[in-house]
Amino acid sequence: MLQPLRILFRPKWMVSRSSASYVSRMRYLNKIKEEDEACRAALQSGNIFLYHKLAPLLRWTDSGIYQLPALQTKDVEEILEKLGEDKEMVKESILINCTEQNEAQFSFDVGAIEQAAVEELCRGTFVDLRKAFFLLRGSEAPLVARGQALLRWHQTNGFCSSTGQPTQRNQSGSQRVCHSSGITYYPKMSPVVIVLVSDGKRCLLGRQSTFPRGMYSALAGFCDIGETMEEALRREIAEEVGLEVESIQYSGSQHWPFPQSSFMVACHATVNPNETQVSVDKVELEDARWFSLEEVQEALTIKAPPRNNKGEPTVFWVPPSYAIANRLIQEWANLQHLKS
Ligand SMILES: NC(=O)C1=CN([C@@H]2O[C@H](COP(=O)(O)OP(=O)(O)OC[C@H]3O[C@@H](n4cnc5c(N)ncnc54)[C@H](OP(=O)(O)O)[C@@H]3O)[C@@H](O)[C@H]2O)C=CC1
Ligand SMILES: [Mg+2]
């Protein structure tokens, strides 16, 4: 029997922010998303995060950490002019969010401009997003992922799939329209269900052949069109490891930018402890097996796995803390502790 969904934790934003300031911020954000004039005005006083071919600009700070530098619009215009480019290009910035002080935040890809020249002027380095995820802290990683996802979406949705005509964006970049067919396109995420299966004592983790050596994660799969999340979850577990899920509990969700935008819905699930024989679909997974609490606890302590002389990890480890898989595994381990 499927159990009703239950929120296992309360995200920080649900408890720490006063509702009045949150509501006014969301209404302001919606206004600049929808109204071109308001968005243009917001860009004048907003913050811009720079990307080069979708790699975000990071800056090493005096306090010994990497930061996502927020540039002012006039700074970006100055950089463009110094490099002999049209400063009006800055208007192509895409709205991604706004700060608690209602300052709009944008992403802008400098594209074909020489990378080293921009890096020198900005005192920063363009870093691949996967690496940036490791280097950034707190809310900066999801912010930079969102900025990249929106830029990528615009770069790959320049034409209407019905007429083949160019599509035009609104000022904020929240949509693109084909004026020939009248179709409006919105940025998309693919829904994915990710699940930590338990038999009450052990948890089931799997690995794809493309994962770094030794890394096992919770099982995941894309939802088919027309499926509920629960149906997708049960189907994926049946397909990938040949097990039938008995109960499901919702844990949380995450936007995952790799390789393209997915909306990860994370759940815990249980199987009958008398029916735990795994039969792995070798097309999807290289391996899947049950892990004990002790093994999982050990893996959770590993921040950077030890590596052999080829640079390959030599132990069992799990995805880093920014991945929702890590949180599922952590939650499961905590729950086992409470039970014992
Ligand atoms: N944040 C986290 O903690 C984690 C995130 N993930 C993410 O979850 C996602 C799904 O996991 P995965 O196990 O690979 O998924 P699946 O088990 O569904 O396997 C991937 C299959 O789905 C196909 N596919 C690719 N994109 C789509 C799409 N948009 N819609 C439908 N089918 C698609 C692939 O086809 P093809 O043959 O063309 O490749 C492939 O056959 C991955 O993007 C992965 O990065 C996974 C684990 C942890
Ligand atoms: Mg899968």
Side-chain angles (χ1 to χ4, degrees), residues 61-74:
T61 64
D62 293 341
S63 41
I65 54 165
Y66 276 99
Q67 237 178 23
L68 193 59
L71 307 182
Q72 298 290 303
T73 299
K74 62 174 175 20

Side-chain angles (χ1 to χ4, degrees), residues 141-155:
L143 187 67
V144 81
R146 187 166 168 171
Q148 194 222 43
L150 284 163
L151 289 168
R152 184 196 294 279
W153 182 78
H154 281 279
Q155 288 174 14

Side-chain angles (χ1 to χ4, degrees), residues 190 192 194 208 217-218 220-222 236 240 254 256 258-259 262 264 284 323-325:
S190 300
V192 171
I194 177 160
Q208 296 178 8
S217 182
F222 289 94
E236 280 292 333
E240 293 194 350
Q254 174 181 50
W256 189 244
F258 312 112
S262 294
M264 310 288 307
E284 292 288 329
I324 203 157

